[in-house]
Amino acid sequence: MNRYWDKEKETLEREELLEYQKSQLVKTLEIASLSSFYSQRIKKIPSQNNVITFLKDLPFTTKQDVRDGYPFKFLAVPKEEVVRLHSSSGTSGNPTVVFYTAEDIEEWSDMVARCLYMVGVRKEDVFQNMMSYGLFTGGLGLHYGAEKIGCFIIPSGAGNTRRQVKLMQDFGTTVIHITPSYALYLAHYLENELGISPSSLNLKIALVGAEPHSETMDRKLEEIFGFKVFNSYGLSEMGGPGVGFECPARKGIHIWEDHYFVEVIDPETEQPVKEGEEGELVLTTLRREAMPLIRFRTGDLVTFLGTEPCPCGRTHVRVSRIHGRTDDLIIFKGVNILPSQIERVLMSFPEVGKNYQIVLEREEEGDKMVVRVEVEKIDDRYSSLSTLKEVIQKKLKEEILVTPEVEFLQPGSLPTFEGKGKRVIDRRKEV
Ligand code: DLL
């Protein structure tokens, strides 16, 4: 049986792949130079022969550049060519927005279909998409990919667990797309609230991504549900999910090199790392029209696994799962949050000290965020500590969209730092 969606592209010889990348890079530079941001950086277009050297002399593009480019500085086509906008899940200030032409949507859907097909999703499958639809790319992105394959799609979106279960039971869902933390919660809910064994649902495959998760966590989910978990990687700046996916041989995540030029660099020296070493993933789009990005620093830390042939037969480069981030961006329940957003809210309360800590935990009932602060003296405005806590919690929810727990501590209880403090303690990967 054919195991490939697009065998020719997925198994291209390395030299052919490189030649293809070079020709796409030239086109990408041409398109990018039409955007107001890159018109400053790309003054001439190199030939295919020296495009790689040319590329490597260009400065990196950062998340901050994209944020500062809001709303239109990165748009490389006339506005009337745009058919859709997505955004990263941040809530503060300018979000990073991403534009798509009709062709971009087509290419993206095809790439997602390739990922799904690779892990065994077929036309006969009932595919329940439990990621949120809307600005977030996880909903519509996977939806269009699954539709290409011809799956029976249930676009249930995130949340409303009781209804999710009913849909799964009544329509015989076989594949789910879900964040790891929600999958854990779903198992807890099934067992404890409904008294249903998760493995009785007959699910076959779970596509899991959009936030950090460990190998142990994936295996644990497999044991509980009796399905196979595949790690799905992507980011809105690169178009969304589908950028890379774990293959059935489980030899890491293949990044689709006909769509992205891949570099893995030491975040300090900015030099490429060797095979087997950890570094930051840097990506250049090769086929995007509305918003090409050149040497985009993803902030995601991976081990570079190289281009040795994979038992699955695909030739595209492999990286490990995401180990962490180079910046202090928190990805919590699929929402991107900057510690500075939390800090801003906390500092607007004179009762709260300057020191704070954000602890992320993974528990059976789902992921938990605890914001720990030192409380100095309580103002007359608040009748008690618990009222103050509630007000802080509400303000935080408004700013970051999720409700953290707030813990009050005696002044001097939290560690102090000279220079950059370690504010975020992420214990989710320990599960
Ligand atoms: O999370 C796109 C996506 C949707 C990926 C659905 C997978 C499934 P953003 O909101 O822009 O886009 O967040 C991107 O999330 O830079 C990583 O830090 C993190 N991330 C995404 N996938 C994984 C994963 C979507 N499989 C940021 N493992 C990325 C760990 C991930 N972290």
Side-chain angles (χ1 to χ4, degrees), residues 11 42 62 69 105 128 160 163 167 173 178 241 246 267-268 308 340 361 371 375 394 406 417:
T11 61
I42 306 166
T62 63
I105 297 284
Q128 194 160 326
N160 200 341
R163 190 180 62 181
L167 290 167
T173 302
I178 190 163
E246 187 175 23
E268 300 292 325
E308 279 299 298
S340 57
E361 313 256 16
V371 176
V375 174
K394 191 162 158 273
V406 176
F417 300 96

Side-chain angles (χ1 to χ4, degrees), residues 128 162 164-173 196 201:
Q128 194 160 326
R162 181 72 196 88
Q164 300 278 11
V165 175
K166 183 166 170 53
L167 290 167
M168 284 194 280
Q169 287 178 319
D170 295 349
F171 295 99
T173 302
I196 298 174
L201 285 175

Side-chain angles (χ1 to χ4, degrees), residues 124-273:
E124 300 72 33
D125 280 304
V126 179
F127 177 87
Q128 194 160 326
N129 192 4
M130 301 189 192
M131 290 227 190
S132 68
Y133 280 67
L135 284 173
F136 181 56
T137 51
L140 288 169
L142 264 283
H143 184 106
Y144 275 55
E147 205 163 78
K148 280 228 162 192
I149 294 183
C151 297
F152 173 155
I153 305 172
I154 308 178
S156 55
N160 200 341
T161 312
R162 181 72 196 88
R163 190 180 62 181
Q164 300 278 11
V165 175
K166 183 166 170 53
L167 290 167
M168 284 194 280
Q169 287 178 319
D170 295 349
F171 295 99
T173 302
T174 53
V175 181
I176 56 173
H177 178 221
I178 190 163
T179 60
S181 51
Y182 191 45
L184 203 60
Y185 175 76
L186 179 63
H188 173 82
Y189 186 88
L190 282 162
E191 279 170 345
N192 297 293
E193 302 287 325
L194 306 177
I196 298 174
S197 157
S199 60
S200 71
L201 285 175
N202 232 359
L203 294 168
K204 219 170 62 176
I205 296 171
L207 317 166
V208 164
E211 63 181 15
H213 54 121
S214 62
E215 178 85 39
T216 327
M217 165 100 178
D218 289 358
R219 300 295 82 84
K220 184 174 168 181
L221 287 172
E222 289 187 334
E223 209 179 295
I224 300 175
F225 283 95
F227 52 32
K228 279 203 176 316
V229 167
F230 294 96
N231 191 354
S232 151
Y233 172 72
L235 57 159
S236 42
E237 292 87 347
M238 290 292 121
V243 172
F245 225 83
E246 187 175 23
C247 75
R250 298 207 187 281
K251 296 282 179 198
I253 294 176
H254 284 282
I255 308 272
W256 301 121
E257 285 181 281
D258 52 333
H259 287 268
Y260 303 97
F261 184 82
V262 178
E263 296 173 77
V264 183
I265 62 159
D266 177 325
E268 300 292 325
T269 64
E270 300 185 342
Q271 294 307 306
V273 301

